[in-house]
Amino acid sequence: MPEGKKPVTPSPAAPAAAKEDSYSAKTHLHQPVPVTEMATVAATALPANAPEGTLPSEVRPEIVTWEKLVEAIKASGKAYNMAMIEKAYDLANDAHKGVCRRSGEPYICHPLAVARLVLDLGMDSESIAAALLHDVVEDTPTTLTDLTAAFGEEVAALVDGVTKLTKIQFSNIEELQAENLRKMLLAMSRDVRVMIIKLCDRLHNMRTGDAWPEQKRRDKARETMEVYAPIANRLGILNVKEELEDRSLHYLDPVGYEEINKMLSERAGDEFLASVSGVIKSRLEESGIEGATIKRRVKSIYGIYRKTIMQNKSFDEIYDIYAVRIILDTLAECYSTLGLIHDMYHPLPNRFKDYISTPKPNGYQSLHTTVIGHEGIPFEVQIRTRTMDEQAEYGVAAHWKYKEGLEGHDKLDERLAWVSQLLENQRVSEDSGNLLHDLKSDLLPEEVFAFTPKGDVINLPAGANCIDFAYAIHSAVGNRMVGCKVNNRIVPIDHVVATGEIIEVILGPADKGPSRDWLKIVRTSEAKSKIRNWFKKMRREENIQQGRDALAKELRREMIFIPDDQLDEFVGSCSRRLRQNNAEEIYAAIGYGGMTIANCLPKLKEEWQKLKAAEAAENKSVEDLPKVDLSRVHATDGVVVEGFDNTPIKFAKCCSPLPGDPIVGFITRGFGVSIHKQSCANAVSSMKDPSNAPRWVKAYWADSVKDSYKAGLEIIALNRNELLSDVLAALADIRVPIYAMNARQVENNCAVISLTIGINNTEHLNRVVARLSKVKDVLKVTRS
């Protein structure tokens, strides 16, 4: 991806280097980086001469060379496979030779920078090699087969995964966007290293994004904000998440960005934090807690932006702009330190969060408390162990960076369970738009924690209600819910859950089910999935009827008028295009919410237009048949064929015409005239064939038809005793002869009865269908 930046005028000399104990996305954007710092993503954010407060687009990030990458690998102290990494560099350097980025530097600088970021996250040798090679398959003649032969299947699979993610272009078309998101989630669920490499790729591109045209810059920033930053958050890689957000904000709202940056620079936050850190460190040592590491940070610009611009808070109403992080050795020291902090400073009410006992979904653990400093400035104190700090800094990447710290238990699969769960929830819904909404809601960083009466913690996204809470416990609890109590007080079931509430779900009878209206109320994809599942399994007949009525009404609104007895056939003809097997499945999916009518309409309209065009062509073909002398017209087998007297007649099996159907005749070679429906596809196509057109003649039913014709019917009914007996009795009542019959049981406790009966004409057939439809438990009667 040749995406870079244009050359800029060198910035003025920098002030003294920032202290090593500062951290945050703001650090990455605005602080000079110590030459010795090798183990954080900040290492490649800005060069050492970047001035304090520099905006991301005003200074070029450090250009990573092969020598600098090797130096950083050695400084990491880990045993990397240098032969593989050097081989990957040589191949990438040769493949990209002669190609430059938009900013003018050789293209190999980009893979090197991505590899450095991957190294900073502590990834393995294969990941670094794949980062160096991540663009060769897409941009050069090198193939995946070449990579497999040179580096093995593991590296080739990583490169292939990143290449596929790179090709995903997020459009405004919701269905396509949802499909792209699905591909991204699948890649992540197979090997999370693919997503980590892609995040590093996107991070470096955002650092050099001022080389893009204005509109592309905004599009990339919006895509980064909506998709990549939330995924980085769910993977727990908070440094990357915060920097992606800040750089995206700078492109999307430069005025708001600079406003907040100016407010921060006007306050002496660093001096205040340095003073507070020294006081806390001294107090800890006096209390016998030694070896504590104290870091400090100023809140990221995007974090402040969300609260000031989007939540309409003033700067002084944000209590966690400044924060001190205390890193300790043991869990016991964490809670002891919390007591000391509350003794030293006045804690603000309702500003304490215990993420150690109730971790965030991305695995983040820490104690958070907000206190008022002696200068009257509020600041946040974060207290955690070293293992928790590693997890917070590197997220799932800590799986590779700190393998020794996993205490022998690999929780990586558990950490990524949300990806598989989200994909599984979508299997229930055929509507691709649901994935887009559910992904965005499930990636939201805000979380609330509520409790069952037994003390179990239920984790929900912000804005979730009591119905979501019930389904988070178990689907059976949600299905039987009739009300709920919050802190022993009855509340509406759409009550929005707040952290710390104790919620008791009131259950109804065992056969109680959810309401369809709940689909409009619930927030989580899990609850929606379980509600749809219940309606899909337990209310099939109701779903079919409701879906059919809703679709018929919408078609009439769209000026598509289809007779009721032809609606099933018409919808069924579009079933394959709508990824269903028949019309009933389409009705059922609409009925239980798995498919929206809006998604069906374009394909149904297209099919309707084709049908009308075919009918127009067919009518024209029939009118164009040769005119024949009607002086000698006689009926044979109830059919009059113009120009023929008592000629042999046979009824085409491809369309099985019945009295009342518009018909046309085809003069066969050797056996009289074959009678087809005028709408028969074979007849329409044959009339257009110049060699066959002269052999088609007009035909119609004689008025005196009294003969019996064979017609096939298919009955779908709920399976029960005496069902067949009742069907036969109904046919006997109206004196209809039966020539053949077959019955079988199918899924969902249903039965299918196939009949061949004798009828006089279509009017007679309609009366028979109406009579059979009244038989108890019969769901549908169709002509086969």
Side-chain angles (χ1 to χ4, degrees), residues 571-582 586 603:
V571 174
S573 66
C574 304
S575 58
R576 290 303 174 95
R577 297 185 63 193
L578 293 170
R579 300 179 184 176
Q580 303 292 338
N581 292 323
N582 50 49
I586 295 173
K603 296 181 176 66

Side-chain angles (χ1 to χ4, degrees), residues 655-667:
C655 54
S656 301
L658 290 173
D661 292 331
I663 55 174
V664 66
F666 180 73
I667 304 170

Side-chain angles (χ1 to χ4, degrees), residues 356-381:
I356 292 180
S357 61
T358 53
K360 288 187 177 183
N362 61 11
Y364 178 88
Q365 287 185 291
S366 184
L367 296 175
H368 287 195
T369 185
T370 304
V371 297
I372 296 286
H374 300 307
E375 299 85 349
I377 301 174
F379 64 96
E380 185 177 69
V381 180

